[in-house]
Amino acid sequence: MLRKSLLAGVVAAVLSAPAMAADVAAPLAAPAASPWDLAFGAKLMSDYNFRGISQSARGPAFSAYAEVRYNWLYAGAAYWTTKLPTRPIGEIDLYAGIRPVIGDLTLDFGLMYYLYTPERQFRTDIVTPPGALAGVWTPRNTDFLEVYGKAGYDITPQLNVGGALYYAPNWLGTGASGLYAEANAKYKLPNDFAISGAVGHYWLGTTSVFGAGNDFNIQDYLYWNAGVSWTYKDVVTLDLRYHGTNLTTQQCFATTGDYRGVLTGAGRSNWCGHSVVATLSVDLQYSKLPLR
């Protein structure tokens, strides 16, 4: 009887040992990565240049943004300081879209709403200051909606090429359509440097808000940029970039309604001319913060 009891105890211990060992040695499962994330940042610029045209009257500007992400989906808002003829406190961009990543290909499809508030229509037809040009120079409201599609492809770990297409049915509230197409490329250099550039073309339609005899066809134009950047730990970036368009100073004035060209009577604007812009930006991502 004693022998049977001892044998049963040994057998039970042997059979239970692997299970106990497995329980002790089993690695803890890593927590699943959250599909949610938050990106946010800010930048200082010597000039806010938007597709070749200054939005800050060739002066310094500031921008900040925040973007919520869920897998491929995203939505965000950005604020830019401006100095425009309608005198808004700045530009507020509200946007949302989907950003699929398929191997080395990144796609981006979305909507952007440009909000300028509060605005005052810039006109000198009722009261014309001495030496100024008389006329109505802006719509009452320059807010507008734009749809876009972008693509970028990593040919090598260092070289990325891409393209983008943007369409606005009511560009800057003028009633004219705006279609912008761009090709771009970026090449990573050693020591976190990179060179990049883009060439784009804007096709702009005819205004419909100024009344019979005052509406006009907005000049199409070619835009290009090229620059060098340095990034520290994927967070801080210093960028020095040359921007240029093929618009003359008279064409630029007709496109922008530059208040200085109106008030001086010159009928010209340098907002679309050749310029070099320095930008210091900080970009953070919640999932990559070391102390979150």
Side-chain angles (χ1 to χ4, degrees), residues 271-283:
W271 289 1
C272 316
H274 306 286
S275 64
V276 176
V277 177
T279 302
L280 176 64
S281 59
V282 177
D283 298 283

Side-chain angles (χ1 to χ4, degrees):
M1 185 71 178
L2 178 60
R3 182 180 300 178
K4 290 183 178 180
S5 299
L6 290 174
L7 181 60
V10 170
V11 171
V14 170
L15 291 176
S16 64
M20 292 171 61
D23 289 343
V24 173
L28 296 176
S34 172
W36 292 95
D37 206 352
L38 174 67
F40 54 98
K43 64 178 65 177
L44 290 172
M45 304 156 279
S46 60
D47 177 27
Y48 172 20
N49 188 293
F50 179 73
R51 298 175 191 165
I53 299 177
S54 175
Q55 305 295 292
S56 55
R58 295 292 199 183
F62 168 79
S63 175
Y65 76 94
E67 180 180 295
V68 178
R69 299 170 179 171
Y70 180 81
N71 290 329
W72 288 351
L73 301 175
Y74 65 90
Y79 171 77
W80 308 74
T81 59
T82 60
K83 199 170 182 180
L84 298 168
T86 56
R87 293 181 286 176
I89 60 171
E91 173 188 317
I92 300 172
D93 300 337
L94 305 174
Y95 61 93
I98 183 169
R99 196 178 287 135
V101 178
I102 307 169
D104 294 326
L105 176 66
T106 299
L107 301 174
D108 190 349
F109 305 99
L111 298 168
M112 175 86 77
Y113 188 75
Y114 299 84
L115 175 66
Y116 304 89
T117 183
E119 291 189 275
R120 286 168 284 186
Q121 186 176 35
F122 182 39
R123 57 191 305 168
T124 54
D125 58 329
I126 299 174
V127 177
T128 306
L133 299 175
V136 178
W137 306 102
T138 67
R140 289 186 176 86
N141 184 348
T142 63
D143 302 346
F144 71 102
L145 178 69
E146 187 176 65
V147 297
Y148 57 84
K150 310 176 191 178
Y153 184 76
D154 291 326
I155 295 180
T156 70
Q158 291 75 36
L159 178 62
N160 177 275
V161 296
L165 195 64
Y166 304 79
Y167 176 73
N170 184 20
W171 185 74
L172 278 173
T174 60
S177 61
L179 176 64
Y180 177 73
E182 178 184 287
N184 52 65
K186 180 178 181 179
Y187 188 80
K188 295 180 181 178
L189 299 170
N191 301 314
D192 299 315
F193 282 90
I195 54 175
S196 59
V199 177
H201 192 279
Y202 232 135
W203 291 270
L204 297 162
T206 301
T207 66
S208 61
V209 298
F210 297 110
N214 295 314
D215 283 309
F216 64 99
N217 183 259
I218 305 174
Q219 179 67 46
D220 299 346
Y221 70 92
L222 185 68
Y223 162 62
W224 57 89
N225 73 65
V228 59
S229 61
W230 175 75
T231 301
Y232 177 71
K233 294 186 180 299
D234 294 324
V235 173
V236 179
T237 301
L238 178 62
D239 184 276
L240 190 64
R241 188 161 303 276
Y242 159 74
H243 300 263
T245 76
N246 66 339
L247 290 170
T248 66
T249 55
Q250 295 94 334
Q251 291 170 337
C252 183
F253 173 74
T255 300
T256 64
D258 182 347
Y259 56 87
R260 293 179 298 186
V262 172
L263 298 178
T264 63
R268 296 171 181 267
S269 175
N270 71 343
W271 289 1
C272 316
H274 306 286
S275 64
V276 176
V277 177
T279 302
L280 176 64
S281 59
V282 177
D283 298 283
L284 299 168
Q285 197 169 322
Y286 177 77
S287 62
K288 296 181 180 179
L289 293 178
L291 301 178
R292 64 186 179 87

